[in-house]
Amino acid sequence: MHQSPTFEVNGDAIREERMQAGLDRTELAERAEISLRFLAHLENGTRSRMRPRRYIALRSALNATDTRLLAPPRPEPEEE
């Protein structure tokens, strides 16, 4: 079964960018065309994955960079 690609985001960074932009959750959700509940879940870490269209809309609404919004890469496990 094929799974569509997703972006793993940093909820704390989303919240910080939103607050720095002077937006409340409702305003950002409307601008990014995502639900208020989904945005709340992203910010509090309950959800961390977004599909490309939603992620791009959120990034654009915040005028933020991938470097800022994406979760840091996880280190590869070391082989023994």
Side-chain angles (χ1 to χ4, degrees), residues 10-53:
N10 179 333
D12 291 335
I14 292 170
R15 182 183 322 99
E16 290 168 10
E17 290 291 323
R18 174 181 59 78
M19 294 174 78
Q20 195 169 28
L23 301 171
D24 65 28
R25 280 185 177 167
T26 302
E27 291 170 317
L28 178 56
E30 288 174 359
R31 288 182 185 192
E33 298 180 353
I34 61 176
S35 74
L36 179 58
R37 183 176 180 161
F38 183 60
L39 177 57
H41 283 249
L42 291 171
E43 286 189 358
N44 69 29
T46 305
R47 303 274 309 264
S48 63
R49 295 209 167 273
M50 298 183 77
R51 292 206 171 141
R53 184 188 66 77

